[in-house]
Amino acid sequence: QVQLVESGGGLVQPGGSLRLSCAASGSIFSIYNMGWYRQAPGKQRELVARITSSGDTNYADSVKGRFTISRDAAKNTVYLQLNSLKPEDTAVYYCNVRLETRWTVSNYWGQGTQVTVSS
């Protein structure tokens, strides 16, 4: 069994910051790509940022220069630092991790954490 547990969402004013965390646990052999997606009401889920096992990153154009993704391999954890937040960043944020267990290589999703940017 594999679990992804997210934390760090909340309500913040425009221009504020948050840090999201997603920790993977269970019978994990290897972790490959780790990423964050978000879904706003009435919109499709979209990629926010991704980081490979070697540390290469890519970001959605809308968050470049404001968000930073990082990972701690020892803790099987991926982070998303959100700075200069805007109301349009309001969404449920989901982590996604591609990893290998004893039986398979699959993508796993976190439960989602709400980020609300409002004055």
Side-chain angles (χ1 to χ4, degrees):
Q1 289 283 359
V2 172
Q3 279 192 320
L4 300 184
V5 178
E6 299 181 26
S7 61
L11 173 64
V12 64
Q13 291 187 341
S17 298
L18 286 172
R19 189 191 194 208
L20 308 183
S21 300
C22 173
S25 62
S27 301
I28 298 169
F29 277 10
S30 296
I31 294 181
Y32 304 114
N33 290 352
M34 307 180 85
W36 290 92
Y37 289 72
R38 67 185 180 186
Q39 187 166 20
K43 295 188 176 182
Q44 289 189 334
R45 191 172 296 189
E46 62 175 359
L47 175 67
V48 176
R50 183 189 290 126
I51 185 168
T52 69
S53 56
S54 58
D56 295 328
T57 59
N58 65 286
Y59 296 90
D61 287 343
S62 59
V63 307
K64 282 180 181 177
R66 300 188 299 120
F67 292 6
T68 302
I69 190 170
S70 61
R71 62 191 286 172
D72 184 332
K75 297 180 179 180
N76 289 344
T77 299
V78 61
Y79 304 96
L80 187 67
Q81 179 68 41
L82 296 73
N83 296 330
S84 303
L85 281 160
K86 305 175 181 180
E88 51 264 42
D89 294 319
T90 296
V92 179
Y93 284 70
Y94 298 90
C95 66
N96 178 270
V97 177
R98 184 167 182 81
L99 58 83
E100 180 178 0
T101 66
R102 176 180 179 182
W103 301 277
T104 187
V105 177
S106 298
N107 287 314
Y108 293 84
W109 290 93
Q111 80 279 10
T113 186
Q114 177 71 46
V115 171
T116 302
V117 185
S118 176
S119 55

